[in-house]
């Protein structure tokens, strides 16, 4: 584990030097939140209105939290680095290093979002309190439950994006699959909660990464219930375990393919 800790610290120090990128992300985040605050403000024009069971404050905070997760989890390391290494042949060198390649990529990814997540969380808290107001039922249980769920959600997102990148062992370019995955998470899970969609579609959506990456953490923050927390936590643990097993399986098959073809 010590070697991964060294990698993690080096990535932290590296990302602290690129504060300009984080500031530019702030601008994009703020513009998106400003648009949605005005959009939902228009739709909740009549006082006391609830849409899919959400109050105006809950709906806006839901979007702010999911966008916070979305911006924090953006990383070229899991979405593109593996593909570049495989296509360029650098994987033949890296897979012989004294660490597992996939865990190396995930460690670098963790180092990146460890910088971005606290900063975006602070920005979301300040923006939300100033423009919307605080959530009336948000207490310590909701805070700790949603915080743990956010960490798991970001990790699950990285694992599945890395699984997609590892398909570059067989396909020439994994970018179209990354694009489809990103749009699924962004449009279905980030912009709108699951309750917005038809009732028949909700059980299907709960079986996708949407439920564990974006919806679950935000739902716990805006409408915390202990039974829902354990339901979401169970789903996240199962998804993370399945994703890690899939990641090791794809990587193992890819490495074996390289050996068969002579590297």
């Amino acid at each position: 584990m010590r070697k991964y800790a060294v990698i993690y610290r080096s990535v932290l120090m590296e990302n602290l030097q690129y504060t300009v990128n984080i500031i530019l992300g702030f601008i994009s985040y703020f513009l998106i939140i400003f648009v949605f605050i005005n959009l939902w403000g228009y739709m909740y024009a009549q006082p006391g209105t609830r849409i899919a069971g959400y109050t105006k404050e809950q709906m806006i905070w839901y979007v702010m939290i999911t966008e916070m997760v979305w911006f924090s989890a953006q990383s070229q390391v899991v979405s593109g680095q593996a593909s570049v290494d495989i296509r360029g042949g650098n994987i033949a060198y890296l897979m012989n290093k004294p660490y597992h390649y996939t865990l190396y990529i995930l460690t670098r990814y963790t180092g990146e979002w460890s910088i971005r997540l606290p900063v975006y969380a602070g920005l979301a808290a300040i923006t939300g309190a100033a423009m919307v107001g605080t959530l009336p039922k948000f207490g310590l249980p909701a805070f700790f439950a949603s915080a743990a769920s956010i960490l798991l959600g970001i990790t699950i997102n990285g694992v599945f994006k890395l699984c997609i990148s590892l398909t570059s062992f067989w396909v020439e370019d994994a970018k179209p699959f990354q694009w489809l995955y990103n749009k699924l998470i962004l449009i279905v899970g980030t912009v709108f909660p699951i309750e917005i969609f038809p009732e028949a579609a909700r059980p299907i959506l709960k079986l996708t990464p949407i439920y564990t990456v974006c919806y679950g953490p935000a739902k716990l923050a805006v409408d915390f219930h202990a039974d829902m927390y354990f339901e979401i936590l169970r789903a996240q643990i199962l998804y993370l375990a399945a994703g890690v097993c899939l990641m090791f399986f794809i990587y193992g098959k890819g490495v074996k393919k390289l050996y068969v073809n002579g590297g």
Side-chain angles (χ1 to χ4, degrees):
M1 293 299 294
R2 184 178 299 175
K3 51 183 173 288
Y4 297 110
V6 172
I7 296 170
Y8 176 77
R9 287 196 298 269
S10 66
V11 174
L12 279 180
M13 297 303 297
E14 179 183 340
N15 279 269
L16 285 173
Q17 299 177 16
Y18 295 98
T19 54
V20 175
N21 292 337
I22 299 177
I23 294 172
L24 291 176
F26 287 170
I27 297 173
S28 300
Y29 177 83
F30 181 79
L31 289 175
I32 291 172
I33 295 304
F34 181 77
V35 169
F36 275 100
I37 286 176
N38 285 276
L39 173 64
W40 289 117
Y42 174 78
M43 297 183 70
Y44 281 93
Q46 186 175 353
T49 301
R50 282 181 176 264
I51 298 177
Y54 289 77
T55 64
K56 175 183 175 181
E57 292 76 17
Q58 286 178 318
M59 188 67 78
I60 294 175
W61 271 104
Y62 176 90
V63 175
M64 283 197 293
I65 293 170
T66 54
E67 289 290 345
M68 175 192 74
V69 173
W70 171 260
F71 275 88
S72 300
Q74 293 303 297
S75 171
Q76 285 298 317
V77 173
V78 289
S79 62
Q81 186 61 51
S83 296
V84 172
D85 289 338
I86 293 169
R87 294 200 309 269
N90 198 36
I91 188 67
Y93 167 75
L94 292 172
M95 69 184 189
N96 292 315
K97 289 286 188 177
Y99 48 70
H100 198 282
Y101 177 75
T102 59
L103 297 181
Y104 162 73
I105 293 293
L106 288 178
T107 302
R108 291 189 59 195
Y109 168 68
T110 304
E112 290 186 354
W113 66 252
S114 294
I115 295 293
R116 289 196 295 265
L117 179 59
V119 179
Y120 277 108
L123 179 64
I126 294 171
T127 304
M131 302 184 70
V132 183
T134 58
L135 285 166
K137 296 181 180 180
F138 186 76
L140 285 178
F143 172 79
F144 287 114
S146 60
S149 186
I150 286 171
L151 297 181
L152 282 171
I154 292 177
T155 304
I156 292 168
N157 179 71
V159 169
F160 277 92
K161 286 179 74 67
L162 180 54
C163 286
I164 295 172
S165 293
L166 291 174
T167 61
S168 295
F169 279 114
W170 295 273
V171 299
E172 183 176 352
D173 190 1
K175 287 182 181 179
F177 303 110
Q178 294 283 2
W179 185 87
L180 289 172
Y181 175 86
N182 286 335
K183 293 302 175 282
L184 177 69
I185 296 293
L186 179 62
I187 297 174
V188 182
T190 304
V191 177
F192 302 108
I194 289 177
E195 289 85 355
I196 289 286
F197 296 92
E199 190 171 352
R202 295 174 196 171
I204 300 174
L205 294 176
K206 287 186 176 182
L207 295 175
T208 67
I210 296 165
Y211 186 70
T212 57
V213 174
C214 291
Y215 170 82
K219 181 66 175 180
L220 289 173
V222 302
D223 188 20
F224 175 77
H225 296 289
D227 55 345
M228 179 176 293
Y229 168 65
F230 289 112
E231 177 185 331
I232 292 171
L233 180 63
R234 182 171 61 250
Q236 287 184 314
I237 292 174
L238 290 173
Y239 239 97
L240 181 58
V244 170
C245 290
L246 179 63
M247 177 185 73
F248 284 135
F249 175 78
I250 296 174
Y251 179 75
K253 287 290 186 181
V255 169
K256 185 179 294 185
K257 180 176 180 291
L258 283 182
Y259 283 133
V260 170
N261 293 330

